[in-house]
Amino acid sequence: MAGGTSTPRTRVRRLPKRGGYDRAAIDPILDEALIAHLGFTVDGQPFVIPTLHARVGDVVYVHGSAASRTLKHLAQGFPACLTVTLVDGVVLARSIFNHSMNYRSVVLLGQAEPVTEQQEKLEALVAFSEKILPGRWDEVREPTAKELKATSILRLPITEASAKVRTGPPGDDEPDYTIPVWAGVIPLALVQGTPVPDPKLTFDLPAPRWDRLPKRVK
Amino acid sequence: MAGGTSTPRTRVRRLPKRGGYDRAAIDPILDEALIAHLGFTVDGQPFVIPTLHARVGDVVYVHGSAASRTLKHLAQGFPACLTVTLVDGVVLARSIFNHSMNYRSVVLLGQAEPVTEQQEKLEALVAFSEKILPGRWDEVREPTAKELKATSILRLPITEASAKVRTGPPGDDEPDYTIPVWAGVIPLALVQGTPVPDPKLTFDLPAPRWDRLPKRVK
């Protein structure tokens, strides 16, 4: 699984068989995850904030208000860490010790760069929109110049990243297989419920169809 | 919503109406979240890793292998940040700019303390077990002394924390309400699928019942 994005800082040390540095392992996880957790350090204190992200080719975009202290800080080029995690299931073993989770995660290290060029800014916004609901961009009002100005977008190049994945059944200690308890995996997934129309919706329109939602929302 | 856990470092600056510092706001979010993202800094580089967490009273526990470099680092008392995020829905507005997510998140700052006392270690492990599946502890093999030794547990006191919540319909600009597009919220939740028995399961036992799962997994 080793590839161009492995460095001593991203190498998966614990249970290295779960690690991957190949873009073929990394990109689908980044794409399927609806949100990311973005880490940065201010005066020695790490902060972790949830944020929408979107990958376009070899970069991951994050965005926020131009007034955001987080984005202003990151835009200065301080080191950042963007992590996404997909929780796939709870792994029930015969011993407490061997209980686990099935998951897919990506850790991406790097320095954020502010996106200043208008065209790239728009492309990033389209990517966020596609992430929220494919096709939405064409149905709603596009951003005004003022709204674009109020939005900061940062770019994180995918140059130093690792994926970590656990799948499959529990691994128990040999003597424990005689313990008469159910063991296996309870799959978990982020799924959509019944759409709730805006009370201010005056048009008789159907809610977006489920199959228009991204693949991750089954 | 202001309370004893607010400091200048945790104050919610952007959209402060979404912020809360009261334990009554913070604890249920910590408890409902299945995993946390833990941030720490090594040589100026922030790292964010997904991890199981469990709140017991006024502390949040995280755990891992005693050989984990992350836990060894954190146990030295460096500043940490534990963040949990519940994604509740996608908010579809009439303009791209007003699209949003409904979510509940908690950011907890502090220094991790290693748990060394055997009784507290066991209590933390029971809390992790309850988080994965209530009642599981009593059904499976308890940890051996060797397994306990191989497990590091860290304690983060809930002294500096904030909650951030967005709920409800989109907020659109007045002129946009005439745009004939569906608007509202598509609720999202982590739900369980059909249990997958371990291929090595030789006992004819029912899978854990759905209603035994924590409340967050509806």
Side-chain angles (χ1 to χ4, degrees), chain B residues 15 30 65 67 96 99:
Chain B
L15 306 174
L30 283 172
S65 163
I96 282 294
H99 278 65

Side-chain angles (χ1 to χ4, degrees), chain A residues 130 132-137 139 207-214:
Chain A
E130 282 296 296
I132 286 183
L133 187 67
R136 188 71 179 170
W137 184 273
E139 298 178 342
R209 284 188 299 147
W210 289 25
D211 59 9
R212 285 191 57 201
L213 282 175

Side-chain angles (χ1 to χ4, degrees), chain A:
Chain A
M1 291 280 266
T5 60
S6 171
T7 72
R9 299 196 304 178
T10 57
R11 203 150 294 144
V12 176
R13 314 267 178 112
R14 295 293 314 151
L15 306 176
K17 67 178 174 181
R18 290 187 190 168
Y21 311 96
D22 198 300
R23 289 288 299 278
I26 291 166
D27 290 359
I29 299 171
L30 283 172
D31 293 349
E32 190 173 335
L34 186 54
I35 64 156
H37 281 83
L38 187 61
F40 55 97
T41 307
V42 180
D43 298 334
Q45 172 67 52
F47 291 87
V48 178
I49 55 158
T51 187
L52 192 67
H53 71 288
R55 183 185 68 87
V56 177
D58 296 331
V59 303
V60 173
Y61 293 108
V62 295
H63 75 320
S65 163
S68 151
R69 62 178 169 150
T70 299
L71 269 74
K72 278 182 187 166
H73 176 81
L74 282 169
Q76 294 173 64
F78 290 108
C81 176
L82 182 135
T83 298
V84 302
T85 307
L86 297 160
V87 173
D88 290 330
V90 160
V91 182
L92 301 176
R94 283 96 175 160
S95 66
I96 282 294
F97 189 73
N98 285 316
H99 277 65
S100 189
M101 301 284 295
N102 280 344
Y103 64 93
R104 288 164 291 153
S105 68
V106 163
V107 172
L108 167 61
L109 305 182
Q111 280 151 279
E113 304 154 354
V115 175
T116 51
E117 205 251 314
Q118 200 79 343
Q119 188 54 34
E120 187 180 355
K121 229 171 156 176
L122 274 172
E123 279 167 16
L125 288 176
V126 170
F128 289 126
S129 174
E130 282 296 296
K131 189 121 200 168
I132 286 183
L133 187 67
R136 188 71 179 170
W137 184 273
D138 295 328
E139 298 178 342
V140 298
R141 179 174 64 68
E142 292 192 13
T144 62
K146 193 181 163 193
E147 286 171 347
L148 274 180
K149 210 177 158 186
T151 307
S152 275
I153 298 179
L154 300 179
R155 184 203 305 122
L156 272 163
I158 309 173
T159 47
E160 192 174 356
S162 65
K164 206 171 172 188
V165 174
R166 192 206 184 280
T167 57
D172 269 301
D173 297 354
E174 211 43 55
D176 291 337
Y177 283 97
T178 59
I179 299 171
V181 66
W182 191 89
V185 175
I186 298 184
L188 297 174
L190 197 64
V191 304
Q192 81 160 74
T194 308
V196 181
D198 183 354
K200 291 190 176 175
L201 184 66
T202 53
F203 301 95
D204 184 18
L205 292 168
R209 284 188 299 147
W210 289 25
D211 59 9
R212 285 191 57 201
L213 282 175
K215 211 192 72 188
R216 83 190 154 270
V217 186
K218 286 159 202 151

